[in-house]
Amino acid sequence: MLESGFPCTTANLVPHRPPMLLVDELLEYQEDHGSVGASVRPGNPFLVDHDRLHPAGLIELMAQAAAAHHGYRCGLEGRQDGWGYLVGVKNFVANRVLRVGDTVRIVARRRQALMEFDFVEGTVFADREQVARGDLTLLSGHGAAPVAFGMGREARECDGSYDRAVRLSESVWPPEHWLAALVAGVASRPLVAAPELMVVKGHFPAAPLLPAAYITGIASFAAARVAGSKTYDGVSVIRAKFVLPLTPSEPFRLICRPGSSGVKAATSVMVMHRDRTVAAITFGLGRDDC
């Protein structure tokens, strides 16, 4: 049941639960857009060095703001079973770093709806300063949400990739042991997200999935290392397409292809589960950072 008046809490509007519930209140609802409030708190799964929010966390804030807008619309229509997946990102740029204690307002503007797809412009503000913006594509609907392709058990039994995988299970993000492995030149080893990983807890609790924003973050670490960047703060997402959902315990690999595009150094990362493409992401890295 919808709360009367604004602001209203987001807990009944989105499927996320702590620690992955990152948005606090729906501040405003209009048919084509919504405004959501959030604070960067200790324990946020996207924190780097315990106090800085990785740019991928801003993408997740935008996606959850869009989910809150969608959830409120479902409530107005008398349907409480709405769901949505982030399936694409374009033209994402972060203008500055957020830290623990910062309070933001996220505006999710629905630019177009085509069948089950919503095309949303997301903007994050701190006071009146624009912190980040990006264009999101979300697959949304009602009833039972689509399930991932469920290859975890088969992969474990058939090709041993689960046993060889580097486990992403640290409470501190990014996982330093995996970055050390990347530097050591063994990035070809598969990765696997443990069920206790913070970004998994509370992300579709009934059927946990690895968030697309987290996949973007992991891929950005690889892209920055391949490009020789010393920081992740300047990472932008030129385009990203999330083809298949990924569940915990399903091993995946990263394939990086550095290149150049205009004034940015562009690095493309393919995320693969066995022979299937999970995501294709192209990052922009400012030359000053490379």
Side-chain angles (χ1 to χ4, degrees):
M1 184 175 180
L2 292 178
E3 297 179 28
S4 59
F6 295 97
C8 63
T9 59
T10 56
N12 294 327
L13 303 178
V14 301
H16 309 77
R17 292 296 177 264
M20 269 299 289
L21 178 58
L22 305 185
V23 293
D24 302 326
E25 297 177 319
L26 182 65
L27 304 174
E28 176 194 8
Y29 175 86
Q30 299 293 333
E31 185 176 355
D32 66 337
H33 74 275
S35 180
V36 173
S39 296
V40 182
R41 296 187 174 88
N44 185 305
F46 292 93
L47 291 180
V48 178
D49 298 329
H50 302 284
D51 70 336
R52 294 187 299 119
L53 189 69
H54 187 280
L58 294 167
I59 294 175
E60 182 64 25
L61 284 173
M62 294 177 186
Q64 291 193 22
H69 180 260
H70 176 72
Y72 195 88
R73 184 169 68 251
C74 288
L76 291 177
E77 296 171 354
R79 297 184 287 192
Q80 301 294 329
D81 57 353
W83 52 264
Y85 294 139
L86 177 62
V87 297
V89 179
K90 290 196 309 182
N91 306 319
F92 169 80
V93 177
N95 299 319
R96 77 169 175 88
V97 177
L98 292 180
R99 296 184 179 274
V100 170
D102 285 340
T103 300
V104 297
R105 178 173 59 91
I106 310 106
V107 178
R109 188 171 299 276
R110 194 184 188 204
R111 292 298 190 185
Q112 185 181 5
L114 180 63
M115 300 180 67
E116 295 90 0
F117 295 94
D118 284 339
F119 300 90
V120 175
E121 178 188 10
T123 314
V124 181
F125 297 92
D127 294 324
R128 296 186 179 182
E129 178 188 3
Q130 180 175 300
V131 173
R133 75 157 309 279
D135 301 313
L136 311 184
T137 303
L138 298 108
L139 175 65
S140 58
H142 307 278
V147 296
F149 41 88
M151 296 288 288
R153 173 178 289 273
E154 181 179 345
R156 196 180 309 184
E157 293 177 350
C158 294
D159 65 8
S161 59
Y162 179 89
D163 296 325
R164 293 185 291 106
V166 177
R167 289 174 61 83
L168 304 176
S169 58
E170 263 71 8
S171 59
V172 177
W173 200 74
E176 292 300 331
H177 75 292
W178 176 71
L179 289 180
L182 183 66
V183 173
V186 293
S188 58
R189 285 180 61 185
L191 310 172
V192 66
E196 64 269 19
L197 192 69
M198 289 206 326
V199 294
V200 173
K201 295 178 179 178
H203 190 255
F204 297 93
L209 294 175
L210 203 58
Y214 178 81
I215 294 173
T216 302
I218 286 289
S220 78
F221 299 139
R225 289 300 175 100
V226 167
S229 177
K230 298 179 181 179
T231 177
Y232 313 116
D233 299 337
V235 171
S236 63
V237 178
I238 298 172
R239 58 186 171 274
K241 184 176 182 181
F242 305 99
V243 182
L244 291 171
L246 196 66
T247 65
S249 81
E250 289 181 322
F252 61 97
R253 295 179 295 110
L254 304 180
I255 302 173
C256 301
R257 295 188 177 92
S260 62
S261 175
V263 298
K264 296 276 188 179
T267 299
S268 296
V269 181
M270 298 288 291
V271 183
M272 306 292 296
H273 172 68
R274 302 184 73 182
D275 60 346
R276 306 184 185 196
T277 300
V278 173
I281 311 170
T282 301
F283 296 97
L285 299 167
R287 293 193 183 278
D288 290 341
D289 295 329
C290 297

